[in-house]
Amino acid sequence: MIDYNVDGDGVASITWNMADRPMNVMNGDSIGAFRDAVYKAIGDKAVKGVIVTSAKNDFVAGADLTNLLKESKDAAKATQNSFALQKLFRDIEKAGKPFVAAMNGTALGGGYEICLACHRRIAADNPKALIGLPEATIGLLPGAGGTQRLPRLIGVSKALPMMLEGKKVDPKAALALGMVDEVVAPADLLKRAKDWILNEGQSSHVKPWDQKGFRVPEAANTPRGAQVFTAGNAMLRAKTQGNYPNAQYIMSCVYEGMLVDIDTGLKIESRYFVACTQSKEARNMIRSLFFSIGEANKLANRPKNVPTQSYTKVGILGAGMMGAGIAWACSSVGIQTVLLDSTQDSADKGKAYSAALLDKRIKSKRGTEADKEKQLGLIKATTSYDDLKGCELIIEAVFEDRNIKADVTKKAEAQIATDAIFASNTSTLPISGLAEASSRPANFIGLHFFSPVDKMPLVEIIRGKQTSDETLARAMDFVKKIRKTPIVVNDSRGFYTSRVFATYVTEGLTMLAEGVHPAIIENAGKMAGMPVGPLALADEVSMELMYRVRQQTKKDLGDAYKSDGSEPVLQTMVEKLGRIGKKAGKGFYDYPADGKKKLWAELSKHFPVKPEAEQPDVQDVIKRLVYIQSVETARCLEEKVVIDVRDADVGSIMGWGFPPFRGGTVSNIDTVGVQPFVAECDQLAQKHGARFTPPKLLRDMAAGGKSFYAA
Amino acid sequence: MTEAFIYDAVRTPRGKGRSSGALHEVTPMRLATTALEAVRDRNSLDTSLVDDVVLGCVMPVGEQGADIARVAVIQSGYAETTAGVQINRFCASGLEACNMAAAQVMSGQSQMAIGGGVESMSRVPMGSDGGAWATDPAVALPTYFVPQGISADLIATKYGFSRDDVDSYAVESQKRAKRSWDEGRFSKSIIPVKDINGLTILDRDEHLRPDTTMQTLASLDPSFTVMGEQFGFDSVAMQRYPDVERIEHVHHAGNSSGIVDGAAAVLIGNKESGIRTGLKPRARIRSFASIGSEPTIMLTGPSFAAEKALKIAGMTPSDIDLWELNEAFASVVLRFMQALNIPHDKINVNGGAIALGHPLGATGAMILGTMVDELERSGKSTALVTLCVGAGMGTATIIERV
């Protein structure tokens, strides 16, 4: 696990090498072994210095999250454990002999904190290696000295964004920031580390903060520091809406820690770290963002016993925004991509989208002209169905019209092998209906991408009635191949993501109709943790589109169609006012060319606002906006539209930005507690309508004292 | 309860609070002693009758630190037995000092006491004393800290005061301040600041811009836009006030209080002390109050403090002849007038801090003195003096001419 070796020159090597793991991680066992090695080296007078390195591709990837929260349940014990780890790292720092981190690869979180405890950090010039403290992204904070050592090393104003945003940088960028001291050729890494120990290291193994007179230049008791923290606090609240306690704790660790000596600072950090481990936010984020997404990426729900399919050629029908984006996704992983549209001009335009993205990469130095040429060479823009020959998969991304879709399905299927998959990127039309146009409905499936495809990491895979297990498995292989995260849902109107996402927008529009102040609706959406308010979102989606989908649904369902409080709003906005959304430059908002969007001044003429005394408390508005999504998700689970609760959580976060601190639409119910959630929904239903009525699934769970996830 | 009377009120002129200001060369200690010595000398006061000197000072660090009130008492050559205490209720410190001095008298624990304040903003700048509210994340985040300028803009946005409204108010303040100087309305209280040779350094408020017009103000950029939009403070304010879609930034240097240097002192005593010193009471303190209000909007406290003081005095707003509210920002005064339905011709009749400046620790005592003078000049009877206070407070005092 940890190899220990002393060479003839008295240089010890402590080498992380966890045989049973793909990467080195910090857990009870590995830390124990590391501790033994450290004290052996410190205690051995013959040892002149110590190299800490790894025998794997990566250095150390961070803490082992598997049992972290479970083992932290007892706050007193967790604090003692944290103090003990701090002491180990502190003893390295005060060893009286030089420790060098020879960072051969990725060093994240606790892994980088080991490096911070060392007297020198030398990184191998490996552009794939990532260095950083990403704990914030899973609801935690750097709890092994990171919040104390990094600002002391590189300054408060540089360290805060690294930790608050959990940025990961390559060795060269880390060098520029001062996070590492040297970057050397990988082959020279150990040699240079040893050199440093035997030369400079012999006289410079006292940390700056252990030297007399050390002051943190940007501590809060300096004018500059006071500014950094005053603005930093406001920016943090502006960004997080106060929803992420760990982010505030990071700020607090740095604020409080920089005003005291490092030993006191480390105690402060430990206490805040333990507070993070006790928080529901960390539990939710670790579960959904780390484990559930990880499982989805590993295709946990892939039907077994189907051989893995590789993809060499994919056809895309329709070169509009979605088709162009999907072409980018395919070609970026080396798949030959046929991008087909009805005119050559449209097809070329779709290909130009990839060219523009590649140009951007070149500009930001994330790509080269050669990369561009290579990737564009993979995309064939065409109008000829003949070019689809040999495609293992066709993705249809044409206009949302059944007849057009049926037509292109037939034309494409005529060209491809009988076992090829045909996928539709529809976001609204039921897959089983579309499959009726297919001559092989077992090979027909839905692949719902999100816009913009190059940025959105999720693909919602929709199983039609006749879709085979084999097709599902192979479609999942494709999603994995293009490095996106799949969730699997069953066919239903709006599937899972569109259906639940719509409730958020609908609820906002309904409140507007009720006379809730539009600013309260919008601010509440943001305060709930959603990326934008529901009215702004309606503008972005386009109310015309929303209205059209409703009309289609009404036609399809006939008497079964249920109207709701948002419909008159849509009708007024689209039919009466022609304010269809952002695309048209006017919706709920005005979009002045030279300024920021602003709520339309005449909105209250059409949707009168109740007097201030009758306005709801913003917390109640937030509750409505969040709960409606969770209760609709519960309905999806009951109707078996979604099978795996983890898919529901992952889909909500990655698909439409449901707040990660809530863990997703399902975790949110667990966080509230199923019983209280049901009780609150009943109250909401009484007050606002039957759409809040909890489904039987939830009532049964509440009655049985059950939760979706094990506590 | 013993009654407390105001026997005298003095103030230094207000010098521009920067290195080019006339009072920048004068230490805050010298400003404070100028006021204290004037109270003694022009009343031939036996200072052994003064039990305590309470001085407001908002940046009590550096040369304003270490209980500047007591050291100013010693330095002024007051009786050794006169105690001194420095207090801080932010912008209302000077008034609070008078209220505390009055409270000592009213409770019978002091015969005579001085309330006042001192602030050399040019020498000990704002922010010098640090503090947790803005910088400590554990405090700033949960309590929605925003700087006062954002609060002032929030008031304007929430209560519907446009840039024109706040600018018009500022123009009028300048006009009134000029008239007051032209007519000598401040002459009773102004004590020139002199140098070591007795030569006058400053005998007139220095911050006024009597030529201010709507046009000159229109050219000024709002001061808090960057702070609000780029540093996130607008968002913080809106999270506390979600019915606000966006903050309209309307305040700038021309419609906010000026940064100045100055000191003031008010001599307060019971009836007997007047007899013993042969001084005639000028006004009676009817009531006073301080109150906390919502801290993010921060500056709406005066109306609540005024209502509280009125209630204590058994009065209603219609019983007040003159209102004086520190012009921290134009919107603060406009909101106060709106909340209590006060016509503009009854409030800040001699101009205010937009024209004259706001030496933080001293202003409350200065405007209390201004009201004593104005009641006497106009022959009116009652006045209510109040200030908005940082962190969401208000302080008010009601006086009645005798």
Side-chain angles (χ1 to χ4, degrees), chain B residues 126-210:
Chain B
M126 282 189 282
S128 298
D129 65 340
W133 195 23
T135 54
D136 184 342
V139 181
L141 269 92
T143 58
Y144 302 86
F145 166 81
V146 300
Q148 290 184 6
I150 300 291
S151 307
D153 286 339
L154 173 62
I155 290 176
T157 307
K158 190 166 165 57
Y159 295 104
F161 305 119
S162 66
R163 171 74 187 254
D164 268 6
D165 294 336
V166 288
D167 280 358
S168 311
Y169 181 85
V171 170
E172 179 63 19
S173 174
Q174 293 283 0
K175 216 186 281 174
R176 292 182 183 190
K178 179 179 188 309
R179 182 186 61 197
S180 301
W181 270 104
D182 290 350
E183 294 178 3
R185 292 187 186 188
F186 297 136
S187 55
K188 253 191 193 171
S189 312
I190 292 284
I191 308 298
V193 176
K194 298 192 168 166
D195 75 359
I196 191 168
N197 303 308
L199 303 175
T200 296
I201 296 174
L202 187 70
D203 60 3
R204 223 183 132 86
D205 292 328
E206 200 182 24
H207 184 266
L208 282 80
R209 285 172 175 269

Side-chain angles (χ1 to χ4, degrees), chain A residues 59-80:
Chain A
F59 181 75
V60 178
D64 183 350
L65 295 173
T66 318
N67 294 315
L68 180 74
L69 295 193
K70 228 180 266 167
E71 286 165 1
S72 306
K73 269 204 174 127
D74 179 342
K77 231 167 88 187
T79 305
Q80 287 317 312

Side-chain angles (χ1 to χ4, degrees), chain A residues 239-316:
Chain A
K239 216 169 173 180
T240 64
Q241 317 275 331
N243 286 328
Y244 293 85
N246 66 313
Q248 185 231 298
Y249 295 165
I250 289 171
M251 283 292 276
S252 284
C253 284
V254 178
Y255 171 85
E256 294 176 32
M258 295 311 110
L259 295 172
V260 294
D261 61 279
I262 186 148
D263 288 299
T264 309
L266 292 169
K267 275 195 274 185
I268 291 166
E269 179 190 87
S270 284
R271 295 186 196 284
Y272 275 118
F273 176 74
V274 172
C276 288
T277 64
Q278 311 293 305
S279 72
K280 53 186 191 296
E281 291 83 0
R283 195 176 57 214
N284 283 334
M285 290 165 81
I286 290 174
R287 175 199 292 144
S288 294
L289 298 181
F290 190 79
F291 289 110
S292 296
I293 289 181
E295 290 297 305
N297 287 336
K298 279 188 238 156
L299 309 188
N301 289 325
R302 184 184 186 276
K304 308 281 180 275
N305 306 321
V306 180
T308 302
Q309 159 123 37
S310 59
Y311 287 88
T312 56
K313 187 174 178 188
V314 169
I316 295 156

